[in-house]
């Protein structure tokens, strides 16, 4: 009996020690220390990459596409709109997309509620190890190595296969798993629907991007607390997404900026809309007929911003290469395994030319 009690005390002590360690790590989260404090030097970007004090125009030219019209006689027109947006901007917004408005609102409420919870309710999820499938972290995947940190906290976890992944999702808020599971199912349906329209526009089979090319599903929820000096830092530095297609639920607070024709333009938050952007793999498979475009996130000093990116991508063992029917003279890229792309992407994620240049065809 004494031995049993002693063992329980040891286990309790070990658990307490682990929790304390996680809480100490969580002190790195921007949201844990940023209130009423000046911007630390480690968050100040070099002058050439700061957003500065310029008023960035909110973009009214990034296409807004009504997917409700894709089911009738206007389908061909909608397909061409998507293709043109992917060629010219790499971004577009979709409305009347089929994801229920109440589900979008409830999901955003749950995301915000998660970041508002006390430290102790989130401590066990904190990790700087990118191999942890469900993890709460801060700044970027390169936090331990980067010289300048990003003004954001992030919760990231896989969503496929759902029955396996959901066991590792946050247990609090108590409705998180139920609400977010429904949300990710609907987001995947929408993503596949858009990819089907893209396939039609490229002259491919409607299910071309099904199965392994869209097997990976990752939800990445970003939280950007109010910043004491938004002109000096970034929520996320410039980058392109490494996956196939991204659906962003950006709520009602602006912050996303896209690089277009030599300038940064703001993407206006639209009610009940998703921002869609082309990932690196879709650019490669289309042999540059679609483009993945650099984007970044700026902060503000007034209100917190929470956004949720749903990333659809290939399985790691997928072979990625330009589709032969889309190659006119020679392919722009060589064939590779997607896992090799990721290994090269993360150390170089802020330099898309370096990332893509590594996989260009030598022919």
């Amino acid at each position: 009996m004494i031995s049993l009690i002693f063992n329980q005390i040891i286990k309790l002590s070990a658990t307490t020690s682990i929790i304390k360690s996680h809480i100490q790590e969580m002190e790195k989260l921007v949201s844990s220390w940023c209130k009423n404090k000046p911007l630390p030097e480690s968050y100040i970007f070099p002058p050439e990459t700061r957003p500065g004090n310029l008023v960035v125009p909110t973009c009214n030219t990034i296409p807004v596409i009504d997917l409700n019209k894709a089911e009738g006689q206007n389908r061909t027109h909608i397909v061409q709109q998507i293709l043109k947006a992917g060629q010219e901007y790499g971004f577009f917004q979709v409305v009347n997309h089929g994801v229920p408005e109440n589900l979008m609102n409830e999901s955003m409420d749950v995301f915000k509620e998660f970041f508002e919870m006390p430290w102790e309710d989130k401590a066990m999820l904190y990790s700087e190890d990118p191999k942890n499938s469900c993890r709460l972290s801060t700044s970027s995947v390169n936090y331990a190595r980067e010289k300048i940190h990003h003004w954001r906290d992030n919760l990231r976890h896989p969503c496929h296969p759902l029955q396996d992944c959901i066991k590792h999702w946050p247990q609090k808020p108590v409705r998180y798993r139920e609400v977010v599971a429904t949300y990710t199912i609907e987001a995947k349906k929408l993503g596949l629907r858009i990819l089907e329209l893209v396939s039609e526009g490229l002259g491919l089979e409607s299910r071309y991007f099904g199965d392994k090319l869209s097997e990976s599903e990752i939800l990445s929820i970003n939280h950007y607390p109010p910043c004491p000096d938004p002109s000096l830092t970034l929520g996320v530095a410039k980058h392109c997404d490494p996956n196939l297609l991204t659906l962003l639920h950006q709520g009602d607070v602006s912050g996303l900026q896209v690089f277009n024709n030599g300038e940064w333009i703001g993407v206006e938050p639209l009610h009940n809309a998703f921002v869609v952007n082309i990932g690196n793999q879709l650019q490669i498979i289309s042999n540059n007929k679609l483009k993945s475009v650099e984007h970044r996130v700026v902060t503000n000093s007034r209100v917190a911003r929470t956004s949720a990116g749903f990333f659809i991508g290939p399985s790691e063992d997928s072979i990625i290469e330009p589709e032969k029917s889309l190659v006119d003279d020679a392919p722009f890229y060589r064939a590779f395994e997607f896992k090799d792309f990721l290994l090269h992407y993360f150390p170089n994620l802020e330099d898309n030319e370096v990332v893509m240049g590594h996989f260009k065809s030598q022919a």
Side-chain angles (χ1 to χ4, degrees):
M1 184 67 179
I2 294 175
S3 175
L4 179 62
I5 294 173
F6 182 70
N7 287 335
Q8 288 177 335
I9 291 173
I10 290 176
K11 288 180 181 179
L12 180 60
S13 176
T15 302
T16 303
S17 176
I18 291 171
I19 292 174
K20 283 182 178 179
S21 173
H22 278 277
I23 290 176
Q24 287 173 350
E25 290 288 300
M26 282 189 63
E27 291 177 357
K28 297 175 183 176
L29 292 175
V30 176
S31 54
S32 71
W33 53 260
C34 68
K35 289 182 180 178
N36 303 316
K37 289 193 176 180
L39 187 68
E41 190 173 337
S42 59
Y43 286 82
I44 298 176
F45 276 69
E48 64 274 14
T49 55
R50 294 174 193 169
N53 294 310
L54 296 175
V55 177
V56 174
T58 298
C59 180
N60 295 317
T61 55
I62 284 181
V64 178
I65 298 174
D66 185 349
L67 286 186
N68 202 34
K69 296 178 180 178
E71 299 309 314
Q73 59 184 5
N74 292 318
R75 184 177 180 90
T76 301
H77 176 63
I78 296 300
V79 166
Q80 291 307 313
Q81 275 190 311
I82 290 175
L83 213 62
K84 185 178 180 182
Q87 292 165 343
E88 296 181 1
Y89 297 96
F91 274 79
F92 53 93
Q93 299 203 61
V94 291
V95 296
N96 295 323
H97 42 65
V99 180
E101 181 176 352
N102 64 334
L103 177 60
M104 291 188 70
N105 291 339
E106 190 174 12
S107 299
M108 183 57 72
D109 289 344
V110 169
F111 298 149
K112 291 178 180 178
E113 192 178 336
F114 172 84
F115 284 101
E116 291 167 358
M117 291 193 308
W119 288 12
E120 56 269 22
D121 289 337
K122 299 178 288 190
M124 294 303 290
L125 290 172
Y126 188 90
S127 173
E128 292 173 19
D129 183 357
K131 293 179 182 178
N132 281 12
S133 60
C134 179
R135 68 188 188 102
L136 174 64
S137 60
T138 192
S139 188
S140 79
V141 69
N142 298 321
Y143 180 84
R145 302 187 303 276
E146 64 194 12
K147 294 179 181 178
I148 308 296
H149 299 316
H150 299 173
W151 190 266
R152 72 152 181 179
D153 297 331
N154 174 263
L155 174 67
R156 182 183 183 92
H157 59 68
C159 306
H160 177 81
L162 183 58
Q163 65 271 22
D164 296 331
C165 296
I166 197 170
K167 301 171 188 175
H168 305 288
W169 291 3
Q171 297 184 49
K172 294 182 180 180
V174 290
R175 59 188 179 137
Y176 184 96
R177 293 183 176 182
E178 179 183 358
V179 171
V180 176
T182 305
Y183 174 80
T184 59
I185 290 170
E186 292 299 317
K188 181 61 180 290
K189 287 180 186 176
L190 173 59
L192 290 178
R193 184 181 173 198
I194 293 170
L195 286 169
E196 185 176 304
L197 294 169
V198 168
S199 298
E200 288 184 31
L202 293 173
L204 306 174
E205 296 178 8
S206 61
R207 286 286 300 162
Y208 182 91
F209 293 105
D211 302 325
K212 293 187 73 171
L213 283 178
S214 57
E215 184 176 290
S216 172
E217 303 168 26
I218 296 174
L219 184 65
S220 179
I221 307 157
N222 293 314
H223 180 70
Y224 310 94
C227 177
D229 195 339
S231 70
L232 298 178
T233 192
L234 288 166
V236 178
K238 69 165 186 170
H239 67 288
C240 291
D241 291 352
N243 52 303
L244 195 67
L245 193 78
T246 303
L247 305 179
L248 179 72
H249 180 5
Q250 68 167 342
D252 56 3
V253 180
S254 61
L256 175 64
Q257 295 183 348
V258 174
F259 197 66
N260 182 263
N261 290 330
E263 67 174 348
W264 290 102
I265 50 178
V267 179
E268 179 185 5
L270 297 181
H271 177 69
N272 199 40
F274 280 99
V275 178
V276 182
N277 72 283
I278 306 298
N280 287 144
Q281 306 315 304
L282 194 45
Q283 176 173 334
I284 291 167
I285 292 170
S286 72
N287 203 41
N288 283 352
K289 288 180 170 55
L290 300 173
K291 64 178 182 178
S292 183
V293 172
E294 288 182 327
H295 50 286
R296 68 182 186 182
V297 176
V298 296
T299 62
N300 74 81
S301 59
R302 304 177 309 281
V303 294
R305 178 177 184 263
T306 302
S307 66
F310 186 74
F311 297 86
I312 299 174
S315 61
E316 289 197 353
D317 62 348
S318 291
I319 301 298
I320 307 298
E321 62 183 327
E323 162 56 36
K324 290 179 176 57
S325 64
L326 302 178
V327 176
D328 298 323
D329 297 317
F332 288 108
Y333 304 96
R334 60 181 174 84
F336 56 86
E337 277 193 298
F338 182 54
K339 63 183 176 183
D340 293 331
F341 186 93
L342 293 176
L343 286 172
H344 184 70
Y345 171 84
F346 286 111
N348 302 291
L349 58 84
E350 293 180 25
D351 193 334
N352 193 56
E353 286 189 12
V354 170
V355 171
M356 298 294 274
H358 185 73
F359 297 94
K360 283 189 175 178
S361 172
Q362 303 301 314

